[in-house]
Amino acid sequence: MKKIIAVHLQNDRSGNTLVFRQSLEALAEKEMEVHLITNRTGEMPGFLTGIPGVQYHYINYSERGNKWRLFFSFLLAQVLIFRKVLSLYEPEAKVYINTLLPFGAAWAGRLKNAPITYHIHEMTVPLPFLRAPLYETAKRLATHVVFGSRYLQSLMSFPKAEKHVIHSCLPQSFVHEAVLHSNHGSRKTVLMIASLDEGSGLHELLELATLMPATKFELVINAHKKDVDAYFENCQMPDNLMVYGTQLNLHPFYQRAALVLNLSHVEYKDTFDISILQAMSYGRPVIVPLSGGANELVAHGWNGYRISGNYIDKVRKHVEQLLQNKPLYADMSCAAQLVASQFKADVFRQQVEDIFVEGNYFTTSRKKEQLAEVLLYPAALQEYIDNARN
């Protein structure tokens, strides 16, 4: 039985944590011996909690507090991870690291000459001054790199590693719920799901809600409610905007939403954004940044719009258009569900399994099938058409 030492620093309810859970579920179901090193959660369980067949090893780590407290908590966590990886290592074991953050696991794997696979969803880190050293560590030590989007792969150089793009997917349970309830609810709100930082477009959403006082807005932030309240303490909050902290169940929000936004800034747009895929599985048109991982889901004017959050008046006009033009909305809704249906859980699982079980990206029998299917993704289809014209 092959042993996988998996590492994820913050067991929260973010998109990259959900994707990592699906990877570990796939590996555990292939009867691999999966050991997960992560932090303990507080009141609300993270997505990595309770994965069948996975053995847990906990460390102390918290992203709450000022930057110096966060910095020392981060360094201590690396020391603990380094020691745990060394204690768990056996010959032929593989190290599987989610995000750039757990660099202690990479150095422990290097010490034991173990294969090291990084799964990278975005380049942003809680402490921006750490991004360069974390990236350099990954470049130097990774033997395999899994990118969450083709856009992210284009930003990062890993000359020594085998590189793979595996687009995220949704759990079958979420898709089933979305299909059953996609037409339920009043669908009168505009929804955004974001992280608690300046670059995720929080202030742009406040501005948009102020410009559209007759429209209801909902904002869900992946952070503790106390931290959310402290962040907006000195802001003038519009009456038509409801703000929530981390949620265990996002289905009611998608059922109420008419459309879903991502107003991330340029430096934060590299993530694939699982919330956009969730929205489209409900048949909700979306608005995403002009470039980045999220727009690999969106063909402008077909299943949503690509607009920079800096042009908030243009965003407003498209939101109003979708809310008022029912035939346009219906067409975009159908297109959104069509695109979401292409990101299949069995394709994702096979791609992950092939890296660890077969040692390569696709098995030979599946290559043609997957390459044909990727042309159904809006961004890939547009790129294919553009190349054919040139």
Side-chain angles (χ1 to χ4, degrees):
M1 181 182 292
K2 291 184 178 180
K3 187 174 188 178
I4 306 294
I5 304 172
V7 188
H8 181 64
L9 200 55
Q10 179 81 348
N11 180 16
D12 55 16
R13 300 190 71 79
S14 64
N16 69 66
T17 307
L18 174 61
V19 173
F20 196 53
R21 179 190 178 100
Q22 294 176 80
S23 295
L24 299 186
E25 286 176 337
L27 297 175
E29 288 180 11
K30 293 295 287 187
E31 298 186 350
M32 288 188 164
E33 183 183 343
V34 180
H35 293 257
L36 173 61
I37 301 171
T38 190
N39 71 329
R40 294 184 182 274
T41 57
E43 301 174 357
M44 189 171 294
F47 282 126
L48 296 179
T49 303
I51 305 176
V54 171
Q55 301 179 48
Y56 287 83
H57 307 271
Y58 294 106
I59 58 169
N60 292 320
Y61 176 71
S62 174
E63 290 189 352
R64 300 187 67 184
N66 61 44
K67 65 178 182 179
W68 291 112
R69 181 178 177 182
L70 174 58
F71 178 65
F72 287 113
S73 177
F74 176 77
L75 291 183
L76 176 60
Q78 303 309 314
V79 174
L80 297 174
I81 289 170
F82 181 87
R83 294 176 62 182
K84 285 187 179 292
V85 171
L86 290 182
S87 66
L88 289 169
Y89 180 79
E90 294 175 356
E92 298 187 5
K94 297 180 179 181
V95 179
Y96 185 20
I97 301 171
N98 197 46
T99 77
L100 291 170
L101 295 176
F103 73 91
W107 283 109
R110 174 64 177 270
L111 188 64
K112 292 294 186 178
N113 203 30
I116 300 168
T117 300
Y118 268 87
H119 199 145
I120 303 176
H121 311 264
E122 64 263 325
M123 292 182 67
T124 55
V125 298
L127 296 168
F129 63 86
L130 287 176
R131 181 166 61 181
L134 292 175
Y135 177 32
E136 289 301 318
T137 297
K139 282 175 63 176
R140 180 175 177 181
L141 303 181
T143 54
H144 287 259
V145 181
V146 176
F147 297 100
S149 69
R150 294 187 302 154
Y151 174 81
L152 185 59
Q153 184 187 31
S154 72
L155 293 181
M156 307 180 79
S157 173
F158 284 85
K160 299 180 181 179
E162 289 191 35
K163 294 169 281 292
H164 322 283
V165 177
I166 301 182
H167 286 103
S168 304
C169 69
L170 299 175
Q172 289 286 4
S173 58
F174 188 98
V175 175
H176 180 69
E177 184 81 4
V179 170
L180 284 178
H181 298 99
S182 61
N183 292 319
H184 292 189
S186 59
R187 284 193 280 178
K188 293 181 179 179
T189 67
V190 177
L191 173 65
M192 189 167 91
I193 299 173
S195 57
L196 187 61
D197 55 57
E198 294 288 339
S200 59
L202 302 180
H203 291 286
E204 285 77 5
L205 185 68
L206 264 63
E207 183 181 350
L208 180 64
T210 303
L211 290 172
M212 304 179 66
T215 303
K216 294 181 180 180
F217 287 80
E218 290 188 329
L219 171 62
V220 179
I221 300 176
N222 183 31
H224 196 280
K225 190 62 167 66
K226 290 181 179 179
D227 296 329
V228 173
D229 292 340
Y231 182 88
F232 290 110
E233 186 176 8
N234 298 318
C235 295
Q236 184 67 37
M237 304 296 290
D239 294 335
N240 58 328
L241 172 63
M242 293 294 296
V243 181
Y244 303 85
T246 303
Q247 298 293 305
L248 275 174
N249 182 11
L250 287 171
H251 287 286
F253 292 90
Y254 290 119
Q255 290 169 20
R256 291 193 294 267
L259 64 151
V260 178
L261 309 178
N262 177 338
L263 301 178
S264 300
H265 296 183
V266 172
E267 65 271 24
Y268 290 84
K269 68 181 185 302
D270 48 359
T271 179
F272 187 72
D273 195 350
I274 201 74
S275 69
I276 295 299
L277 186 58
Q278 290 174 334
M280 292 198 307
S281 71
Y282 264 94
R284 306 306 185 239
V286 295
I287 295 177
V288 300
L290 279 169
S291 61
N295 78 27
E296 291 179 29
L297 293 164
V298 180
H300 187 77
W302 183 52
N303 62 331
Y305 295 106
R306 299 176 180 177
I307 311 169
S308 170
N310 296 322
Y311 300 99
I312 206 66
D313 194 57
K314 187 177 289 187
V315 174
R316 176 187 63 80
K317 289 178 181 178
H318 282 293
V319 170
E320 289 176 344
Q321 183 184 34
L322 283 168
L323 294 178
Q324 296 168 8
N325 190 329
K326 291 184 178 180
L328 173 66
Y329 184 91
D331 289 344
M332 282 197 173
S333 177
C334 291
Q337 280 190 311
L338 174 64
V339 173
S341 70
Q342 306 306 312
F343 293 82
K344 298 180 173 66
D346 57 346
V347 174
F348 175 89
R349 296 166 77 89
Q350 183 63 52
Q351 292 172 336
V352 172
E353 290 169 8
D354 284 348
I355 291 174
F356 290 94
V357 179
E358 305 293 339
N360 52 39
Y361 189 19
F362 293 116
T363 55
T364 304
S365 62
R366 289 179 175 263
K367 273 189 177 179
K368 290 184 179 179
E369 173 190 339
Q370 303 305 335
L371 290 175
E373 192 165 29
V374 82
L375 293 179
L376 296 175
Y377 304 158
L381 181 58
Q382 288 185 346
E383 182 179 308
Y384 177 80
I385 294 171
D386 291 343
N387 290 338
R389 288 173 175 169
N390 294 332

